[in-house]
Amino acid sequence: MMSLFLKSLAGALAVLLIAILARSKSVYLAGLVPLFPTFALVAHVIVGTERSAADLQHTALFGLWSLVPYAGYLGVVWFGSTRWSLPVTLGVATAAWVVLALGMILLWERVRPPING
């Protein structure tokens, strides 16, 4: 139960930091906070303690692939932010993320490296 509380606290702190930075003169830093590996750390601790080192390697490699959908999301936000309303921009960006993530998952299932562990 304490572990779940600490994970929730980490997420809440990240949201608080984003809100503070969004109001600062360095608003661009609010875009860096979501990239702090809060949830990746949680995933890697769980995988690293419950599975093999090879499984942790696969998790990390797939995490690198996950930068593709995130880049697609950010690209749409960048493009749409001055052209569309905020709800349209974020909706299209989220849809782009979903499509790219599904494509990434399908591709991973076909070409992922074998587990050596």
Side-chain angles (χ1 to χ4, degrees):
M1 187 61 138
M2 182 57 122
S3 173
L4 184 58
F5 173 75
L6 291 175
K7 292 170 193 168
S8 301
L9 183 61
L13 289 174
V15 171
L16 180 63
L17 186 56
I18 291 168
I20 291 168
L21 289 170
R23 293 185 180 125
S24 75
K25 66 179 181 175
S26 303
V27 64
Y28 55 89
L29 292 177
L32 181 62
V33 175
L35 296 177
F36 183 80
T38 305
F39 300 109
L41 284 166
V42 172
H44 295 153
V45 166
I46 293 169
V47 172
T49 56
E50 296 181 7
R51 304 292 299 256
S52 69
D55 288 340
L56 181 56
Q57 272 192 324
H58 270 83
T59 303
L61 183 59
F62 190 76
L64 284 172
W65 279 45
S66 73
L67 295 175
V68 172
Y70 189 66
Y73 170 86
L74 290 177
V76 172
V77 170
W78 176 82
F79 178 83
S81 63
T82 57
R83 292 168 176 81
W84 308 320
S85 68
L86 181 62
V88 170
T89 298
L90 297 181
V92 173
T94 301
W97 184 93
V98 168
V99 168
L100 289 168
L102 289 173
M104 181 189 78
I105 291 166
L106 293 173
L107 183 61
W108 177 265
E109 291 296 325
R110 290 177 159 237
V111 301
R112 71 174 168 215
I115 296 174
N116 299 323

